[in-house]
Amino acid sequence: MADAAYRTVAEDLRRRIGAGEFAPGDPLPSRAALARAYGVGSNVAAAAVRALTADGLVKGRAGRGVFVRERPSSGTMARSWTHERLQGRLAVRAAGHGGAATDRVSRDGPEPGATAPGATKPGATAPGAGDGDAPGDDGRSVRGTPRSTTGEAPPDIALRLAVPAAEPVIRSEYMITRDGRPAMFCVSWEPLTVTGGTPVSLPGAGPMAGSSVVARMSYIGFRITRSTETVTARTATREEADALDLTPGAPVAAIERTYYAGDRPLETADLVVPGERFRLAYEIPAEPADG
């Protein structure tokens, strides 16, 4: 009987959410209020809310209550050499517009000796590219201030950076949001042999604070010529689900990205993108390689 009761309550709440009575972002009534409204016990009301949580319709927030989740979307995030990416922002096209938001700068990256988009010459004032305020930005992508620490490179990171194990690195962690919602959780590593003692040693400080990796490396004389990305489809960890406002076990795209100057790795990062919000698009040139 209790099983049938909680299913009845859950189904009616689904109907009310679908009808817009509880809009995305709205709080659900408390367990006690639901119990009174439906004439059931508090345990039945709690079971109904758990069912909605398991379905991904609502999400609990510690100390605040249970809220209706935003509807899943399927925007396309371009991962090629886009103008936005070179500035440290997200190139996203909303669902229904077809194709990727390519806006390509160059298939081979910035020209030799050129200042990358978002970079500044030494002594100039950084434009803040990557924080949602760059010229031409629609203000919809915002990069949080990185939290950086110095430590030893773990074995897998040392391998990706082609440095000895336990090499000193700067580890930075930050979030990029899109339209006010988490869009990408990022953890990056840079060898201190590359950035140590330079004005860009901390991604969130100095004259290039908030700028892209391409722009920061250009500032200290390194021209990034290519990047590699390895993508794995998996479920979010508990920490990732909390950070990205996902339900436990939600699908994510986990990207291992490394930036190179020629054959030398300058930075590597783990990027996590919510699978229910974005598709990833890559442009692959068709011309054969020289030689």
Side-chain angles (χ1 to χ4, degrees):
M1 185 67 111
D3 183 67
Y6 97 79
R7 291 180 186 276
T8 298
V9 173
E11 186 58 36
D12 190 60
L13 288 172
R14 287 191 192 94
R15 177 191 62 79
R16 295 169 69 182
I17 291 172
E21 183 176 342
F22 298 115
D26 285 352
L28 280 188
S30 67
R31 181 173 63 179
L34 288 174
R36 290 194 299 270
Y38 286 97
V40 296
S42 60
N43 288 341
V44 171
V49 172
R50 284 197 298 272
L52 298 183
T53 301
D55 289 344
L57 290 176
V58 300
K59 178 178 175 62
R61 295 174 181 167
R64 298 179 57 192
V66 178
F67 294 78
V68 177
R69 291 179 57 82
E70 299 285 341
R71 303 287 190 270
S73 60
S74 56
T76 299
M77 182 184 297
R79 298 298 303 159
S80 304
W81 283 108
T82 64
H83 176 73
E84 291 90 346
R85 181 172 176 184
L86 292 177
Q87 289 192 324
R89 296 182 282 119
L90 301 179
V92 176
R93 177 164 292 174
H97 284 74
T102 53
D103 191 18
R104 186 175 66 253
V105 173
S106 165
R107 283 178 177 163
D108 300 318
E111 291 299 317
T115 300
T120 57
K121 297 294 185 181
T125 301
D131 60 7
D133 296 327
D137 188 10
D138 58 11
R140 299 173 65 186
S141 295
V142 179
R143 182 204 297 244
T145 301
R147 297 189 298 274
S148 300
T149 57
T150 303
E152 297 181 348
D156 59 325
I157 299 303
L159 185 63
R160 285 157 59 176
L161 289 173
V163 298
E167 178 85 358
V169 293
I170 291 287
R171 180 188 184 276
S172 300
E173 183 178 303
Y174 59 96
M175 179 73 71
I176 300 178
T177 61
R178 177 80 177 175
D179 294 330
R181 302 186 67 197
M184 179 184 287
F185 180 65
C186 314
V187 181
S188 68
W189 295 264
E190 297 173 356
L192 281 178
T193 53
V194 173
T195 60
T198 73
V200 303
S201 59
L202 295 176
M208 298 299 289
S211 296
S212 69
V213 177
V214 174
R216 291 175 52 248
M217 294 301 172
S218 175
Y219 188 86
I220 58 174
F222 289 99
R223 176 185 174 240
I224 288 180
T225 56
R226 64 188 176 98
S227 67
T228 61
E229 293 195 353
T230 302
V231 184
T232 302
R234 59 171 174 79
T235 57
T237 65
R238 181 179 296 275
E239 293 77 13
E240 291 166 350
D242 289 342
L244 293 167
D245 193 25
L246 300 172
T247 56
V252 296
I255 306 171
E256 290 184 9
R257 181 200 68 202
T258 303
Y259 279 120
Y260 293 84
D263 292 328
R264 182 181 184 179
L266 298 180
E267 185 257 19
T268 194
D270 288 334
L271 317 175
V272 183
V273 178
E276 66 182 28
R277 297 176 197 156
F278 301 102
R279 301 179 302 171
L280 303 181
Y282 292 83
E283 179 177 327
I284 302 173
E287 293 90 344
D290 293 337

Short mmCIF file of all heavy atoms in Angstrom, two decimals, residues 71-78 92-100 181 273-281:
data_model
loop_
_atom_site.label_atom_id
_atom_site.label_comp_id
_atom_site.label_asym_id
_atom_site.label_seq_id
_atom_site.Cartn_x
_atom_site.Cartn_y
_atom_site.Cartn_z
N ARG A 71 15.88 21.68 -17.67
CA ARG A 71 15.68 20.67 -18.71
C ARG A 71 17.02 20.38 -19.39
O ARG A 71 17.79 21.29 -19.68
CB ARG A 71 14.70 21.16 -19.76
CG ARG A 71 13.34 21.57 -19.21
CD ARG A 71 12.51 20.36 -18.79
NE ARG A 71 11.14 20.75 -18.50
CZ ARG A 71 10.69 21.12 -17.32
NH1 ARG A 71 11.53 21.19 -16.30
NH2 ARG A 71 9.43 21.43 -17.14
N PRO A 72 17.30 19.11 -19.69
CA PRO A 72 18.52 18.80 -20.45
C PRO A 72 18.49 19.48 -21.81
O PRO A 72 17.43 19.64 -22.41
CB PRO A 72 18.46 17.26 -20.61
CG PRO A 72 17.59 16.80 -19.47
CD PRO A 72 16.57 17.89 -19.29
N SER A 73 19.65 19.91 -22.27
CA SER A 73 19.76 20.53 -23.58
C SER A 73 20.82 19.77 -24.37
O SER A 73 21.48 18.89 -23.84
CB SER A 73 20.14 22.00 -23.46
OG SER A 73 21.39 22.14 -22.81
N SER A 74 20.97 20.11 -25.64
CA SER A 74 21.95 19.41 -26.46
C SER A 74 22.69 20.40 -27.35
O SER A 74 22.72 20.27 -28.56
CB SER A 74 21.28 18.32 -27.32
OG SER A 74 20.25 18.88 -28.12
N GLY A 75 23.26 21.43 -26.72
CA GLY A 75 24.07 22.36 -27.48
C GLY A 75 25.32 21.66 -27.99
O GLY A 75 25.75 20.64 -27.46
N THR A 76 25.90 22.21 -29.07
CA THR A 76 27.11 21.64 -29.65
C THR A 76 28.31 22.49 -29.27
O THR A 76 28.33 23.69 -29.53
CB THR A 76 27.00 21.56 -31.18
OG1 THR A 76 25.90 20.71 -31.53
CG2 THR A 76 28.28 21.01 -31.80
N MET A 77 29.30 21.87 -28.63
CA MET A 77 30.51 22.56 -28.21
C MET A 77 31.62 22.21 -29.19
O MET A 77 32.05 21.07 -29.28
CB MET A 77 30.89 22.13 -26.79
CG MET A 77 32.13 22.84 -26.24
SD MET A 77 32.61 22.21 -24.59
CE MET A 77 31.18 22.63 -23.61
N ALA A 78 32.08 23.22 -29.96
CA ALA A 78 33.16 23.00 -30.92
C ALA A 78 34.49 22.92 -30.20
O ALA A 78 34.84 23.78 -29.40
CB ALA A 78 33.18 24.12 -31.95
N VAL A 92 29.92 27.46 -28.42
CA VAL A 92 28.72 26.64 -28.28
C VAL A 92 27.64 27.14 -29.21
O VAL A 92 27.38 28.35 -29.29
CB VAL A 92 28.20 26.65 -26.82
CG1 VAL A 92 26.90 25.87 -26.71
CG2 VAL A 92 29.25 26.06 -25.89
N ARG A 93 27.01 26.21 -29.90
CA ARG A 93 25.84 26.53 -30.71
C ARG A 93 24.65 25.81 -30.10
O ARG A 93 24.72 24.62 -29.80
CB ARG A 93 26.03 26.09 -32.16
CG ARG A 93 24.81 26.33 -33.04
CD ARG A 93 25.18 26.25 -34.51
NE ARG A 93 26.05 27.37 -34.89
CZ ARG A 93 26.61 27.48 -36.09
NH1 ARG A 93 26.43 26.55 -36.99
NH2 ARG A 93 27.38 28.52 -36.36
N ALA A 94 23.56 26.53 -29.89
CA ALA A 94 22.38 25.96 -29.25
C ALA A 94 21.78 24.87 -30.11
O ALA A 94 21.96 24.84 -31.32
CB ALA A 94 21.35 27.05 -28.98
N ALA A 95 21.03 23.98 -29.47
CA ALA A 95 20.34 22.91 -30.19
C ALA A 95 19.41 23.51 -31.22
O ALA A 95 18.78 24.54 -31.00
CB ALA A 95 19.56 22.04 -29.21
N GLY A 96 19.32 22.85 -32.38
CA GLY A 96 18.41 23.31 -33.41
C GLY A 96 19.04 24.21 -34.45
O GLY A 96 18.40 24.57 -35.43
N HIS A 97 20.33 24.59 -34.26
CA HIS A 97 20.99 25.46 -35.24
C HIS A 97 21.82 24.67 -36.23
O HIS A 97 22.33 25.23 -37.18
CB HIS A 97 21.88 26.49 -34.52
CG HIS A 97 21.10 27.59 -33.90
ND1 HIS A 97 20.37 27.40 -32.75
CD2 HIS A 97 20.90 28.87 -34.28
CE1 HIS A 97 19.77 28.54 -32.43
NE2 HIS A 97 20.08 29.45 -33.35
N GLY A 98 22.01 23.39 -35.98
CA GLY A 98 22.69 22.54 -36.95
C GLY A 98 24.17 22.84 -37.07
O GLY A 98 24.59 23.97 -37.16
N GLY A 99 24.98 21.77 -37.09
CA GLY A 99 26.41 21.95 -37.30
C GLY A 99 27.11 22.46 -36.07
O GLY A 99 26.51 22.78 -35.05
N ALA A 100 28.43 22.58 -36.20
CA ALA A 100 29.24 23.02 -35.07
C ALA A 100 29.49 24.51 -35.18
O ALA A 100 29.48 25.09 -36.25
CB ALA A 100 30.57 22.27 -35.05
N ARG A 181 25.10 28.21 -15.87
CA ARG A 181 25.11 26.80 -15.44
C ARG A 181 26.50 26.20 -15.67
O ARG A 181 27.19 26.56 -16.63
CB ARG A 181 24.08 25.99 -16.22
CG ARG A 181 22.66 26.49 -16.09
CD ARG A 181 21.70 25.53 -16.79
NE ARG A 181 21.65 24.24 -16.10
CZ ARG A 181 21.16 23.14 -16.66
NH1 ARG A 181 20.74 23.15 -17.90
NH2 ARG A 181 21.12 22.02 -15.96
N VAL A 273 32.76 17.47 -19.15
CA VAL A 273 31.63 18.19 -19.76
C VAL A 273 30.35 17.38 -19.52
O VAL A 273 30.34 16.17 -19.76
CB VAL A 273 31.87 18.37 -21.27
CG1 VAL A 273 30.67 19.06 -21.93
CG2 VAL A 273 33.14 19.16 -21.53
N PRO A 274 29.27 18.02 -19.05
CA PRO A 274 28.01 17.29 -18.84
C PRO A 274 27.46 16.74 -20.16
O PRO A 274 27.20 17.50 -21.10
CB PRO A 274 27.07 18.36 -18.26
CG PRO A 274 27.96 19.45 -17.78
CD PRO A 274 29.16 19.44 -18.67
N GLY A 275 27.28 15.43 -20.23
CA GLY A 275 26.79 14.81 -21.45
C GLY A 275 25.36 15.19 -21.79
O GLY A 275 24.98 15.19 -22.96
N GLU A 276 24.55 15.54 -20.79
CA GLU A 276 23.15 15.87 -21.05
C GLU A 276 22.99 17.29 -21.57
O GLU A 276 21.91 17.67 -22.01
CB GLU A 276 22.32 15.70 -19.79
CG GLU A 276 22.66 16.67 -18.67
CD GLU A 276 21.85 16.44 -17.40
OE1 GLU A 276 21.44 15.28 -17.15
OE2 GLU A 276 21.64 17.41 -16.66
N ARG A 277 24.05 18.08 -21.55
CA ARG A 277 23.95 19.48 -21.97
C ARG A 277 24.69 19.78 -23.26
O ARG A 277 24.34 20.74 -23.95
CB ARG A 277 24.48 20.40 -20.86
CG ARG A 277 23.67 20.33 -19.58
CD ARG A 277 24.27 21.16 -18.47
NE ARG A 277 23.71 20.75 -17.19
CZ ARG A 277 24.30 20.91 -16.03
NH1 ARG A 277 25.48 21.50 -15.96
NH2 ARG A 277 23.72 20.50 -14.91
N PHE A 278 25.72 18.98 -23.58
CA PHE A 278 26.54 19.33 -24.73
C PHE A 278 26.95 18.09 -25.52
O PHE A 278 27.22 17.04 -24.96
CB PHE A 278 27.83 20.05 -24.29
CG PHE A 278 27.58 21.32 -23.54
CD1 PHE A 278 27.70 21.36 -22.16
CD2 PHE A 278 27.22 22.49 -24.21
CE1 PHE A 278 27.47 22.53 -21.45
CE2 PHE A 278 26.98 23.66 -23.50
CZ PHE A 278 27.11 23.68 -22.14
N ARG A 279 27.00 18.28 -26.84
CA ARG A 279 27.70 17.36 -27.73
C ARG A 279 29.04 18.01 -28.06
O ARG A 279 29.17 19.23 -28.05
CB ARG A 279 26.90 17.14 -29.03
CG ARG A 279 25.51 16.59 -28.81
CD ARG A 279 24.79 16.42 -30.13
NE ARG A 279 24.70 17.69 -30.87
CZ ARG A 279 24.28 17.78 -32.13
NH1 ARG A 279 23.96 16.69 -32.79
NH2 ARG A 279 24.20 18.97 -32.72
N LEU A 280 30.04 17.18 -28.37
CA LEU A 280 31.35 17.69 -28.74
C LEU A 280 31.53 17.54 -30.25
O LEU A 280 31.23 16.50 -30.81
CB LEU A 280 32.46 16.92 -28.02
CG LEU A 280 32.39 16.92 -26.48
CD1 LEU A 280 33.57 16.13 -25.93
CD2 LEU A 280 32.39 18.34 -25.92
N ALA A 281 32.03 18.60 -30.89
CA ALA A 281 32.24 18.58 -32.34
C ALA A 281 33.69 18.89 -32.66
O ALA A 281 34.26 19.84 -32.12
CB ALA A 281 31.33 19.60 -33.02
#
